[in-house]
Amino acid sequence: MTLLYTKEQKALISLVHDVAEQELKPYVAQADRDGKCPEELYEFGFDLGLHLVEVPKEYGGTGLDYETTAMIFEELAKIDAGYAITFVTTFVALRNVILAGTPEQAQYFADVVKQRKFAAFALTEPNAGSDVAGMRSTATKVDGGYVLNSTKTFITNGGIASIYIVFCKTDFEAGAHGITAFIVDRDMPGVRVGAEEDKMGLRLSNTTELLLDDVFVPEDRVLGKVGEGMKLALNALNLSRAFVCTMGVGIMQRALDEALAYATERKQFGKPLASFQLVQGLLADMAIKTEAARCVVNNTMRLMDAGSLVQLEGAICKTFVTDSMQEVVSNAVQVMGGYGYSREYPVEKLMRDAKVFQIFEGTNQIQRTTIAKLLANG
């Protein structure tokens, strides 16, 4: 089973594969140990135009559809999902601007990104993760704009972004209906990058605190309507949580490829591991979950291309794919035994990288709650 790729899609996937193999793969193991992606490694991604694939053509981007873009980032994630998510996070922020911004705001955002820059989406706070309405960030109305004070945490691209979409409360009494989104530039006075996270996995992805101290944001940087930031964030996350699954499929496919190659070559009791039925069962289960996940992602991308906000479908996609990932990467380690647990082989890294997919973009527990509520409400 496989997807029906067009000639253009095959060409793009092949291009990304070849360049990533040559320009990124040799450096991934050391970058993972260092917990940081060298800046020069981003250059080949920019050269490929990865930062522009979701930027609409009218704003100077490539304007690829979600389906094709997902295929590209699945391929890139086979080499390193942390590297892939660095570029994808720009689109997490961009989708908010496309959903609620003015044409002028969209053009401004695109012009920043076109300069080979990254963007970030700043929603989570130390005491407000799944409970977004519990955020404590403030946006106080002043003459000509707002003054923002905020401490955001676990911000992907926090330390390398040049532009942020930041959510703050403009009205504490209104609760979830008092949150507003803002476009914030890195060089605005009062914007600071805080501590960088020393993460278990996705170590090539930059994750930091973002601190805003009396940051003045002009009126024309308010994104969407005042008080509708919560709705905007949730709609954008519906799309994003589905899209990150494509990188999950990349991790799953790489785990299967590594385990299969090892089981074919490694001999025990005079026979290849792949000839033993219990090992065959592990490999078969990995292939089943990987193919099913790929199909679920592809269908969800097609729905997004048709204009759906995939509130239910995105939650189902995210939960199924990221839960399946844990089984697939664990099976890969099991097939390879002690070698799978060693950093000599890449599957232990894949296992570390996979775990966070059940957590970010809304935990899978929250996704199950969402799915159940939507089913109950028809």
Side-chain angles (χ1 to χ4, degrees), residues 123 130-136 167-181 225-234:
L123 181 66
S130 298
D131 179 18
V132 176
M135 71 167 58
R136 308 305 298 171
F167 295 81
C168 297
K169 278 192 173 176
T170 45
D171 183 353
F172 267 84
E173 299 299 322
H177 299 289
I179 298 172
T180 303
K225 294 181 180 179
V226 172
E228 293 192 358
M230 178 77 160
K231 178 182 177 182
L232 171 60
L234 294 179

Side-chain angles (χ1 to χ4, degrees), residues 24 26-38 41 80 203-204 349:
L24 178 61
Y27 307 101
V28 166
Q30 186 59 53
D32 177 70
R33 286 190 287 269
D34 294 341
K36 185 176 183 179
C37 181
L41 290 188
D80 190 81
R203 290 174 59 79
L204 271 70
K349 176 183 178 300

Side-chain angles (χ1 to χ4, degrees), residues 288-325:
I288 291 165
K289 291 289 176 67
T290 301
E291 287 292 349
R294 181 176 289 114
C295 290
V296 170
V297 171
N298 183 254
N299 184 64
T300 310
M301 293 303 105
R302 289 188 171 198
L303 290 171
M304 288 163 53
D305 282 326
S308 172
L309 290 177
V310 295
Q311 185 178 10
L312 175 61
E313 298 87 353
I316 290 173
C317 178
K318 199 265 187 183
T319 306
F320 174 76
V321 173
T322 61
D323 281 353
S324 297
M325 285 175 69

Side-chain angles (χ1 to χ4, degrees), residues 56-77:
K57 289 182 179 180
E58 59 264 35
Y59 299 119
T62 310
L64 291 183
D65 55 71
Y66 286 118
E67 182 182 22
T68 303
T69 304
M71 292 172 178
I72 291 172
F73 281 101
E74 177 192 331
E75 194 63 36
L76 187 59

Side-chain angles (χ1 to χ4, degrees), residues 87-376:
F87 285 90
V88 168
T89 297
T90 290
F91 307 135
V92 176
L94 170 68
R95 290 166 195 150
N96 291 266
V97 184
I98 299 302
L99 285 172
T102 65
E104 292 76 18
Q105 289 174 330
Q107 188 64 67
Y108 180 83
F109 189 99
D111 286 345
V112 172
V113 173
K114 282 189 291 185
Q115 298 174 50
R116 300 164 80 96
K117 305 292 185 182
F118 294 115
F121 175 81
L123 181 66
T124 301
E125 297 183 4
N127 295 309
S130 298
D131 179 18
V132 176
M135 71 167 58
R136 308 305 298 171
S137 298
T138 61
T140 305
K141 185 72 178 73
V142 296
D143 219 18
Y146 289 81
V147 173
L148 276 52
N149 284 280
S150 175
T151 298
K152 300 293 186 181
T153 191
F154 300 132
I155 305 305
T156 306
N157 288 1
I160 60 175
S162 296
I163 191 167
Y164 306 90
I165 304 301
V166 180
F167 295 81
C168 297
K169 278 192 173 176
T170 45
D171 183 353
F172 267 84
E173 299 299 322
H177 299 289
I179 298 172
T180 303
F182 300 87
I183 300 174
V184 177
D185 291 323
R186 172 70 174 271
D187 59 5
M188 285 179 169
V191 176
R192 295 187 295 118
V193 174
E196 184 170 351
E197 298 294 333
D198 187 10
K199 306 190 298 296
M200 177 174 76
L202 291 186
R203 290 174 59 79
L204 271 70
S205 167
N206 173 268
T207 308
T208 71
E209 288 183 319
L210 179 66
L211 310 173
L212 277 63
D213 300 318
D214 291 331
V215 176
F216 174 74
V217 178
E219 194 87 46
D220 63 2
R221 296 300 184 84
V222 175
L223 185 59
K225 294 181 180 179
V226 172
E228 293 192 358
M230 178 77 160
K231 178 182 177 182
L232 171 60
L234 294 179
N235 282 338
L237 284 170
N238 288 337
L239 303 175
S240 296
R241 71 172 52 101
F243 191 89
V244 297
C245 293
T246 191
M247 290 173 286
V249 176
I251 290 175
M252 294 164 78
Q253 186 64 57
R254 175 72 183 279
L256 174 58
D257 292 344
E258 294 288 343
L260 181 60
Y262 180 86
T264 302
E265 296 171 6
R266 173 78 166 176
K267 291 186 177 180
Q268 293 286 274
F269 308 104
K271 298 179 181 180
L273 280 181
S275 68
F276 293 96
Q277 286 186 341
L278 292 178
V279 174
Q280 291 172 351
L282 291 173
L283 293 170
D285 286 343
M286 293 169 69
I288 291 165
K289 291 289 176 67
T290 301
E291 287 292 349
R294 181 176 289 114
C295 290
V296 170
V297 171
N298 183 254
N299 184 64
T300 310
M301 293 303 105
R302 289 188 171 198
L303 290 171
M304 288 163 53
D305 282 326
S308 172
L309 290 177
V310 295
Q311 185 178 10
L312 175 61
E313 298 87 353
I316 290 173
C317 178
K318 199 265 187 183
T319 306
F320 174 76
V321 173
T322 61
D323 281 353
S324 297
M325 285 175 69
Q326 312 310 312
E327 179 182 336
V328 169
V329 296
S330 181
N331 279 1
V333 173
Q334 194 69 25
V335 168
M336 297 177 67
Y339 290 109
Y341 202 67
S342 169
R343 288 196 171 183
E344 181 182 352
Y345 290 85
V347 295
E348 68 84 27
K349 176 183 178 300
L350 297 176
M351 192 169 187
R352 287 188 286 109
D353 287 346
K355 181 57 191 175
V356 75
F357 282 78
Q358 290 180 305
I359 300 170
F360 64 17
E361 303 290 337
T363 67
N364 284 10
Q365 286 69 37
I366 289 293
Q367 300 314 310
R368 285 180 165 85
T369 299
T370 297
I371 293 165
K373 285 182 177 178
L374 291 171
L375 291 175

